[in-house]
Amino acid sequence: MIRKKIGVILLFVLLISFGAQAQRVTSMRINEVLVINEDNFVDDYGKRSGWIELYNSSAGTVNIGGCFLTNDKNNPKKYPIPKGDVLTKISPRQHILFWADGRAEKGTFHMNFTLDPSKENYIALYDTDGKTLVDEIIIPANQIVDKSYGRTVDGQDEWGVLAKVTPSTNNLTLDTNERIDNFRQNDPVGIGMTVTAMVVVFLGLILLYVIFKQIGKASVSASKRRAQKASGVTVETESTEISGEVLAAIGAALYELDEDVHDIENTVLTIQKVKRNYSPWSSKIYGLRELPRK
């Protein structure tokens, strides 16, 4: 009993530790950066500026309130992320966007520094103590206008210029359907698709025919049984077998009968009506007397 209690306690402690580990700020990653924003996404004020995207790579919600973002290695506490904002709680596998517009007075997600397109940009995320480095990246100089620099796959180590700017969403998105592309490559005319569709339709019709036919037979049989049960009549089928000797005797007897009974065809039996002579003198109606008239 004591061992069982100890096991439950250890399991409970492990679950708590796992939850605490999953919600640590160390699971946050700098995921995508846009340095030059001329004709791209706008902020909540309708303005265009560079931005930094963070990504929660853990399986738990992470609150980054109180952490720090900076573009200066010598000043890790350059932009303190405000505490108490519910939007700083990042759900698992989700993103958050910070605007590098130098206008921190605009709100939580507007930083007090900008990104310089003419040189390398150092970006780092520090924990709430301002000393523990969570993640950092150096964005190369001479970035392409309206092209973001980020991780090829969210949270992974490989960086590069992304084919599509994807703020607040996955860096790797699928714009095509692999199955459709394979079908288009292997069957450009569409003959295979047509034949396949026709086969499927006909097989479906045949299957429906068989199913409904069996249902009809079952319904008819059930109706007959109900009718017989209601009338109290039971139909019994008995198989009566006649031996070959009996059949031969019957055939011979019919053949030897007088021709008046059957016609001349020996293979077709036609039973004829027997003619009887009729005499009105033997009729009983002539033996009755008339009743006297009054």
Side-chain angles (χ1 to χ4, degrees):
M1 187 68 179
I2 296 176
R3 292 182 178 179
K4 186 176 181 180
K5 290 183 178 179
I6 294 175
V8 172
I9 293 173
L10 290 175
L11 180 62
F12 183 71
V13 171
L14 288 174
L15 290 174
I16 293 177
S17 300
F18 176 77
Q21 180 69 21
Q23 296 179 4
R24 290 179 58 185
V25 178
T26 53
S27 62
M28 296 298 299
R29 294 289 180 268
I30 300 172
N31 201 56
E32 185 179 358
V33 179
L34 180 68
V35 178
I36 308 173
N37 186 356
E38 291 185 0
D39 191 22
N40 208 273
F41 293 89
V42 298
D43 61 14
D44 43 347
Y45 290 89
K47 302 295 183 180
R48 291 186 174 88
S49 58
W51 45 260
I52 300 171
E53 179 192 73
L54 302 182
Y55 172 70
N56 178 10
S57 62
S58 73
T61 300
V62 177
N63 190 352
I64 59 174
C67 296
F68 300 91
L69 280 167
T70 184
N71 64 340
D72 186 356
K73 287 185 178 182
N74 299 320
N75 185 10
K77 297 182 179 181
K78 188 169 186 178
Y79 176 67
I81 300 174
K83 297 180 180 180
D85 192 330
V86 295
L87 297 179
T88 60
K89 295 180 179 180
I90 316 303
S91 301
R93 317 290 187 224
Q94 297 300 312
H95 312 73
I96 193 70
L97 205 67
F98 287 87
W99 296 93
D101 55 1
R103 303 291 299 275
E105 68 276 7
K106 287 186 175 181
T108 301
F109 301 101
H110 294 263
M111 299 180 294
N112 57 3
F113 61 85
T114 60
L115 302 177
D116 191 345
S118 63
K119 63 180 183 179
E120 292 182 345
N121 286 273
Y122 172 81
I123 300 172
L125 173 67
Y126 281 85
D127 207 339
T128 54
D129 58 3
K131 299 178 180 180
T132 304
L133 178 64
V134 177
D135 195 19
E136 63 178 353
I137 185 65
I138 296 177
I139 308 299
N142 302 319
Q143 287 292 304
I144 303 173
V145 176
D146 293 326
K147 287 288 185 179
S148 60
Y149 188 80
R151 301 177 188 268
T152 305
V153 179
D154 292 336
Q156 301 299 319
D157 294 332
E158 184 178 354
W159 283 75
V161 178
L162 301 181
K164 179 187 290 186
V165 180
T166 58
S168 300
T169 188
N170 299 340
N171 290 356
L172 180 62
T173 57
L174 299 178
D175 297 329
T176 59
N177 189 307
E178 184 177 356
R179 294 183 179 180
I180 294 177
D181 292 340
N182 291 335
F183 217 124
R184 186 182 293 113
Q185 181 178 359
N186 299 323
D187 186 25
V189 181
I191 296 176
M193 181 181 293
T194 303
V195 173
T196 302
M198 292 179 64
V199 169
V200 170
V201 171
F202 281 112
L203 287 178
L205 292 175
I206 292 172
L207 181 61
L208 289 174
Y209 168 76
V210 173
I211 292 174
F212 282 113
K213 187 174 182 179
Q214 296 300 322
I215 293 174
K217 288 182 178 180
S219 300
V220 171
S221 300
S223 300
K224 289 182 178 180
R225 287 195 297 269
R226 287 195 296 268
Q228 292 171 4
K229 186 176 181 180
S231 61
V233 177
T234 58
V235 178
E236 296 182 357
T237 58
E238 296 181 357
S239 59
T240 304
E241 295 184 358
I242 302 175
S243 63
E245 292 81 358
V246 175
L247 293 175
I250 294 173
L254 292 173
Y255 186 77
E256 294 296 334
L257 287 177
D258 186 70
E259 293 183 356
D260 292 336
V261 178
H262 64 83
D263 55 15
I264 60 176
E265 293 87 355
N266 57 2
T267 58
V268 179
L269 297 177
T270 304
I271 306 301
Q272 297 178 350
K273 184 177 180 180
V274 178
K275 297 181 180 179
R276 298 182 182 277
N277 295 324
Y278 174 77
S279 175
W281 299 104
S282 62
S283 178
K284 294 180 179 180
I285 60 174
Y286 293 99
L288 296 176
R289 294 181 180 181
E290 292 184 2
L291 293 176
R293 295 179 180 179
K294 294 181 181 181

